Amino acid sequence: MLGLQHEHLPTSGGCGELSAGRQVRRNDEVMDPRLVARAVARGDVFTRADVLALDLDDRHLRRICRSGEAIRVRRNAYVLGAAWEGADPTERFAMRTRAVLAARQNAHDISSHRSALALHGLPVLDPHLADVELASDVLRVRRDRGFRLYPRAISSIDPEVSGATPDELESGRLVGAGSAPTGSSHAVPIPVAVVQTLLGHGLPHALVALDAALHEGRCTTHEVEAVVARLVGAGARSHGYRLIRLSDPRCESVGESRARLVLVELGLDVRSQVAIYDDDGDFVGRVDFLVDGDVVVEFDGAVKYDGAEGRDALVAEKIREDRLRALGYRVIRLTWADLDRPSYVAVSSDGRVDHEPRILAGA
C-alpha cells in the first residue's frame, strides 16, 4: 500500500488541520459519549447536525476539535480523531467521503468515481490528493476545494440505455442500479466506479482498483464490459476494453499492478505470479513477474529488514535469488521511484543493463 502522506484539509471554528505525522492530544477528552456512539455507528463520522440533535453546541465542537477528538474535513463534516489517527490514506479518504455525504443530508447523493472505490474498500492512487466525488440531482458539475458534485442524469444500468457520451460517464451521470450501502453512505457499483475512474482519472487509477476487485472476487470483467458496452460512447469504448485486457486478478498489490502496467506498455511479454521450479522439479519460489521468459522482475515496496526476523527474511530472499540466477534467470527489482520514470525500465534485445542494476535496460 501507499505510505502515509500529509493531508491538506480545510480548517474553521477551532478545528485545526491534522497531518499524518502529528500526534493528537488525549489529555483533555471532552467529547460527549453519546456523540462518540453516534459517530461509530456511522462509520466514525458525524456532523454538526448530530451535535445539535444531542443538545450540544458549537462550543462543544470547538473543544473536541482542539483536543484532537474530532477532525473537521469539510464544513459541518467531522471524523473521530482516534479513527483518523489509525487509518491509512485510502481509509481516510473513505472517511472524508462518508462525512461529506452525512453532512449534505441528501438522500439522492451517491458516491462515485474514486470515492465509490474507497467506500468499497478498493485501492485509490494518491488518496490524500483525491477529491470527494458525489453524484446528485444537480444540473451541472460543481467543483470546490477537495469536492466535486456531478449531475445524476441516468439512475440505472438498463439494457435499453445506449448512446451515452464519454463526458456523461466521466462526469458521474451514470451511477448505476444496485448501489451498495456502505455504513451510512452509498456507492455506485464497483464496475461503474471503475469505468468512471478510467474516463475521469486515467488508466493507472482504474487498473489498480480493478485488479484488486478481481483478485478479491468483488466483480468480474464481464460486468465491467457490460458497463462499457451499454453506457460508454463508441469513441471511448476502446479505452474500456483496453482496461479489461490489461487487468490481472493475479496481481496482489497496488505496486504490482502499476509495475505490470509499466512493463506491458513497454511492449514486454509479462506473466504475473509465476511459480519457478529447478531442473529436479523442486519449487524455488513464486515471482511477481516473468518477463520475456527469462527475466524475473520483483516489485520491492516498503519492505523492512529490521530485527532478527527481518535479517532472516533478507537471507532467505538472497538464497532464493541466487537459486533463480543459477537457473539462468536475471533478477531485477523495481521500486516506487522506478514506476515514476518508466523510460528507465525497459529490456534491450541483447539483455544489457545500461542504467542501475535493478533496472531493465532500454529497448
Side-chain angles (χ1 to χ4, degrees), residues 303-317:
V303 178
K304 302 297 183 184
Y305 296 112
D306 298 330
E309 291 185 2
R311 289 192 295 272
D312 290 343
L314 182 60
V315 170
E317 189 64 27

Side-chain angles (χ1 to χ4, degrees), residues 40-360:
V40 169
R42 304 180 81 170
D44 298 320
V45 305
F46 67 96
T47 68
R48 180 173 179 268
D50 292 323
V51 173
L52 299 180
L54 295 172
D55 294 326
L56 303 171
D57 55 23
D58 288 331
R59 289 176 299 176
H60 187 78
L61 262 178
R62 288 192 291 270
R63 286 198 299 271
I64 62 179
C65 286
R66 285 196 298 268
S67 72
E69 294 172 271
I71 307 297
R72 179 184 183 274
V73 296
R74 196 169 175 81
R75 182 182 179 186
N76 298 328
Y78 301 85
V79 174
L80 292 179
W84 184 267
E85 256 193 304
D88 65 33
T90 299
E91 291 168 341
R92 289 183 174 188
F93 180 41
M95 289 180 194
R96 281 198 281 136
T97 298
R98 287 197 296 271
V100 170
L101 278 164
R104 282 179 53 81
Q105 295 183 311
N106 187 332
H108 298 290
D109 284 355
I110 188 168
S111 64
S112 65
H113 297 72
R114 292 178 295 178
S115 278
L117 295 177
L119 290 186
H120 283 295
L122 294 173
V124 175
L125 287 183
D126 299 324
H128 62 297
L129 300 176
D131 292 339
V132 171
E133 295 173 290
L134 308 180
S136 188
D137 294 331
V138 295
L139 297 178
R140 57 189 177 87
V141 178
R142 289 173 46 193
R143 289 183 173 89
D144 196 357
R145 185 189 181 199
F147 177 72
R148 296 186 186 189
L149 190 65
Y150 300 112
R152 179 177 173 167
I154 300 175
S155 60
S156 64
I157 298 178
D158 191 296
E160 300 300 319
V161 176
S162 61
T165 67
D167 286 343
E168 285 178 323
L169 185 54
E170 186 276 328
S171 71
R173 294 175 186 171
L174 305 175
V175 295
S179 52
T182 310
S184 61
S185 58
H186 291 77
V188 301
I190 289 174
V192 175
V194 166
V195 177
Q196 286 176 328
T197 299
L198 169 69
L199 297 185
H201 303 290
L203 179 62
H205 291 268
L207 185 63
V208 298
L210 180 54
D211 279 356
L214 295 174
H215 182 74
E216 297 170 8
R218 307 280 303 282
C219 78
T220 67
T221 55
H222 295 297
E223 291 169 337
V224 177
E225 185 175 6
V227 173
V228 172
R230 294 175 183 176
L231 298 177
V232 180
R237 285 178 192 157
S238 61
H239 300 297
Y241 296 142
R242 181 167 184 257
L243 167 68
I244 294 169
R245 289 196 305 272
L246 289 175
S247 64
D248 188 345
R250 292 168 296 184
C251 276
E252 298 177 340
S253 70
V254 170
E256 287 184 22
S257 293
R258 286 199 58 198
R260 190 186 80 255
L261 180 59
V262 168
L263 296 171
V264 169
E265 289 186 333
L266 290 166
L268 305 175
D269 177 23
V270 182
R271 295 167 55 202
S272 305
Q273 296 297 322
V274 178
I276 304 295
Y277 296 86
D278 63 20
D279 295 336
D280 297 325
D282 294 329
F283 179 72
V284 176
R286 185 176 298 276
V287 301
D288 291 342
F289 307 106
L290 185 62
V291 177
D292 288 348
D294 63 352
V295 180
V296 168
V297 177
E298 300 276 32
F299 176 74
D300 195 1
V303 178
K304 302 297 183 184
Y305 296 112
D306 298 330
E309 291 185 2
R311 289 192 295 272
D312 290 343
L314 182 60
V315 170
E317 189 64 27
K318 178 66 167 57
I319 293 173
R320 174 176 173 270
E321 288 192 7
D322 288 343
R323 292 183 67 190
L324 289 169
R325 292 190 176 96
L327 293 172
Y329 295 100
R330 286 191 299 131
V331 180
I332 308 296
R333 288 193 172 273
L334 299 181
T335 67
W336 284 110
D338 299 324
L339 302 185
D340 292 329
R341 50 177 189 173
S343 61
Y344 286 94
V345 184
V347 176
S348 64
S349 57
D350 61 2
R352 290 182 298 106
V353 175
D354 294 333
H355 300 288
E356 301 175 30
R358 70 177 183 279
I359 306 301
L360 301 171

